[in-house]
Amino acid sequence: MKKNTKRLLFFMLILPVFLFGQNTLKGTVTEQSTSIPLPGVNVVIKGTATGTSSDFDGNYQIEVKNGDIIVFTYVGYQAKEITYNGQST
């Protein structure tokens, strides 16, 4: 009986991590016509304060959940929104 209780407790504690866990979205922001990487692009989850900026080579990494809307903004460019649906880049 104790063994089954321990298993049940284990699954109750671990399962939510897999169901509601976040995923890492990585990518490189480039200028569309020249494919030159853009440093300093703001990458934010819409409606939150969670975000990051692209590095010198245009690379970024952010923790997201399915259905999150990611907003990319950069001075002088039109904002771009994407919906995260499990893609890794």
Side-chain angles (χ1 to χ4, degrees):
M1 183 69 172
K2 283 186 177 184
K3 195 173 192 178
N4 287 337
T5 304
K6 287 181 182 179
R7 285 183 185 169
L8 180 61
L9 183 60
F10 175 76
F11 284 112
M12 288 175 58
L13 293 174
I14 298 300
L15 189 59
V17 171
F18 292 107
L19 291 177
F20 302 108
Q22 295 196 345
N23 304 297
T24 301
L25 178 64
K26 299 177 185 180
T28 304
V29 183
T30 59
E31 203 281 328
Q32 187 174 6
S33 62
T34 63
S35 297
I36 295 174
L38 295 174
V41 174
N42 293 315
V43 182
V44 179
I45 299 172
K46 189 173 187 174
T48 72
T50 303
T52 189
S53 293
S54 60
D55 65 12
F56 182 75
D57 296 319
N59 299 313
Y60 69 91
Q61 180 175 324
I62 188 169
E63 298 294 321
V64 294
K65 299 180 300 199
N66 278 335
D68 281 347
I69 298 173
I70 316 313
V71 182
F72 298 83
T73 56
Y74 192 67
V75 175
Y77 287 80
Q78 183 177 3
K80 174 78 173 177
E81 294 185 4
I82 63 162
T83 302
Y84 177 75
N85 292 317
Q87 61 270 42
S88 60
T89 57

